[in-house]
């Protein structure tokens, strides 16, 4: 069978032989299942398929007894996917931390040399260039410090009202972005106090809300720029582990331009940014924080409607 056209599909496609073993997986399937075609080949398909009936199975004449499986991507088996993403991210951060460590010393040397050079310059108009070296070295040093700092000090959990941190964040971002943006609050008063690391969660929410405000501020042509913070109790939250029957959702919505489409797939990776002076760490750290709490950060975005959702487990059954 010519499989080249399957590569163009968003839908994950698997071809199985008569015994239900995988003979082919398209790119979407590799991505969905977090494994390469080579790793999947020859394995039984059943453990990889989501339990629900949305999987389409078409019998094939060739090979006899074989079948073609389609998994619509919105029905992705989130948990397997997420677990894979989590271990990948942890490994990535480890690499970044080591890199940060390696870069710090030469960077300090570079800056010191630029400063010496600056003092020896024969012409005043050349200072501009040494100053660029010094400023950029400072910016890199700052980035490296943030990359290298361990995020996983033991979480200091305490019980608090999430609306208190929502209000803190709103006040901070309102101060920073002034009158330009309208803020809406839609809090569910029945949300119980949660047990979490208050400072880190505040930082995560701040990163998300500030991104929304920045997106709105960068596009002054948007009519009625509005940022909303919404809290809800969610039952059977789909992305949390099954034992959590209820979850808390903090949703941050804006009517800005939307996340650039080319960033969607890698938005939570470190150093991914759509801004000239961005660090690309805000969402990565926010995701790390949520995951450290057994939760997850997810988003939907199109022009005029962007929603980031912080999901945290509430009860354990
Ligand atoms: N609400 C939003 N609207 C549009 N784009 C967004 C929004 N939130 C995040 N982004 C995009 O995601 C990128 C990564 O965000 P982040 O991880 O916080 O890094 P940084 O803010 O330093 O760029 C941003 O540069 C921006 O392009
Ligand atoms: Mg940011």
């Amino acid at each position: 069978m010519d499989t080249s056209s399957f590569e163009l599909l968003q839908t994950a496609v698997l071809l199985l032989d008569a015994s239900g073993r995988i003979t082919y997986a398209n790119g979407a399937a590799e991505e969905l299942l977090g494994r390469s075609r080579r790793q999947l080949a020859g394995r039984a398909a059943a453990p990889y398929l989501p339990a629900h009936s949305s999987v389409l199975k078409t019998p094939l004449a060739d090979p006899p007894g074989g079948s073609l499986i389609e998994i619509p991507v919105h029905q992705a088996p989130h948990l397997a996917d997420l677990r894979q993403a989590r271990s990948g991210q942890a490994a990535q951060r480890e690499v970044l931390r080591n890199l940060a460590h390696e870069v710090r010393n030469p960077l300090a040397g570079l800056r010191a040399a630029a400063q010496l050079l600056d003092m020896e310059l024969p012409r005043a108009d050349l200072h501009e260039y040494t100053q660029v070296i010094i400023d950029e070295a400072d910016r890199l040093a700052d980035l490296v410090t943030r990359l290298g700092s361990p995020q996983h000090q033991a979480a200091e959990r305490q019980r608090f009202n999430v609306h208190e941190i929502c209000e803190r964040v709103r006040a901070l971002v309102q101060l920073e972005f002034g009158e330009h943006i309208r803020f809406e609050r839609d809090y569910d008063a029945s949300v119980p106090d949660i047990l979490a690391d208050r400072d880190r969660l505040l930082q995560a929410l701040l990163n998300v809300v500030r991104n929304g405000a920045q997106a709105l501020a960068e596009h002054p042509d948007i009519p009625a720029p509005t940022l909303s913070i919404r809290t809800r109790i969610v039952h059977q939250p789909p992305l949390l582990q099954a034992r959590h029957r209820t979850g808390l959702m903090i949703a941050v919505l804006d009517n800005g331009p939307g996340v650039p489409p080319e960033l969607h797939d890698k938005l939570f990776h470190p150093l991914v940014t759509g801004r000239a002076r961005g660090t690309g760490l805000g969402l990565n750290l926010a995701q790390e924080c949520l995951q450290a709490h057994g939760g997850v950060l997810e988003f939907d975005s199109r022009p005029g409607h962007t929603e980031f959702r912080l999901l945290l487990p509430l009860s354990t059954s």
Side-chain angles (χ1 to χ4, degrees):
M1 178 179 289
D2 176 15
T3 53
S4 58
S5 56
F6 293 147
E7 293 305 321
L8 305 173
L9 297 178
Q10 290 284 316
T11 303
V13 173
L14 298 173
L15 293 179
L16 311 186
D17 64 15
S19 64
R21 292 188 183 277
I22 299 172
T23 56
Y24 162 82
N26 72 347
E30 287 183 304
E31 205 166 306
L32 182 67
L33 304 177
R35 287 187 169 68
S36 73
R37 196 162 299 172
R38 285 244 302 279
Q39 290 172 316
L40 288 168
R43 293 206 193 193
Y48 293 107
L49 302 180
H52 20 79
S53 55
S54 58
V55 173
L56 298 176
K57 189 168 180 177
T58 313
L60 294 177
D62 176 31
S67 50
L68 185 153
I69 302 279
E70 290 172 72
I71 313 169
V73 166
H74 65 275
Q75 299 285 3
H78 284 298
L79 283 177
D81 217 20
L82 209 65
R83 223 171 284 132
Q84 175 83 13
R86 281 177 190 176
S87 63
Q89 271 172 7
Q92 230 172 13
R93 287 208 66 83
E94 183 63 34
V95 171
L96 281 175
R97 252 170 232 139
N98 292 339
L99 183 69
H101 186 75
E102 289 301 320
V103 167
R104 191 170 293 123
N105 286 337
L107 199 58
L110 194 76
R111 188 188 194 283
Q115 260 177 325
L116 287 176
L117 189 64
D118 189 66
M119 290 188 281
E120 302 293 328
L121 287 178
R123 285 187 2 231
D125 61 325
L126 295 175
H127 288 299
E128 198 185 323
Y129 299 105
T130 42
Q131 203 51 51
V132 168
I133 303 176
I134 292 166
D135 287 349
E136 291 297 295
D138 284 344
R139 194 168 71 84
L140 265 178
D142 185 44
L143 179 65
V144 153
T145 305
R146 291 165 67 176
L147 275 179
S149 62
Q151 295 300 319
H152 280 306
Q153 294 117 350
E156 288 194 23
R157 303 208 178 202
Q158 49 180 296
R159 223 166 253 295
F160 60 93
N161 184 319
V162 282
H163 298 137
E164 177 218 324
I165 63 166
C166 294
E167 281 299 285
R168 266 294 292 283
V169 166
R170 188 183 62 86
L172 281 170
V173 176
Q174 202 152 33
L175 260 182
E176 193 178 344
F177 290 85
E179 302 302 296
H180 179 68
I181 296 170
R182 197 163 67 90
F183 280 85
E184 282 180 354
R185 290 172 273 181
D186 177 2
Y187 297 158
D188 179 346
S190 69
V191 169
D193 286 359
I194 60 165
L195 185 65
D197 185 327
R198 185 180 172 283
D199 291 346
R200 278 184 74 191
L201 199 61
L202 191 144
Q203 185 67 52
L205 184 62
L206 183 61
N207 291 356
V208 170
V209 173
R210 189 178 270 148
N211 277 347
Q214 281 169 338
L216 290 170
E218 282 160 11
H219 292 79
D221 47 320
I222 288 167
T226 307
L227 237 168
S228 321
I229 304 181
R230 181 184 292 169
T231 59
R232 291 287 182 274
I233 292 179
V234 282
H235 297 286
Q236 312 279 336
L239 289 174
L240 303 182
Q241 284 157 9
R243 63 196 169 88
H244 299 296
R245 273 178 305 145
T246 59
L248 162 69
M249 178 185 78
I250 309 174
V252 178
L253 299 93
D254 72 72
N255 59 351
V259 174
E262 67 276 14
L263 299 188
H264 276 219
D265 293 345
K266 49 181 179 189
L267 196 64
F268 298 123
H269 295 188
L271 305 181
V272 168
T273 178
R275 303 195 175 95
R277 302 241 111 191
T279 62
L281 288 179
L283 290 177
N284 178 254
L285 293 179
Q287 179 67 283
E288 254 201 2
C289 164
L290 267 292
Q291 292 181 356
H293 285 87
V296 68
L297 173 64
E298 53 169 12
F299 79 103
D300 289 313
S301 181
R302 55 188 146 82
H305 183 97
T306 296
E307 179 170 348
F308 280 82
R309 289 179 293 272
L310 291 76
L311 274 168
L312 286 163
L314 269 183
S315 80
T316 304
S317 61

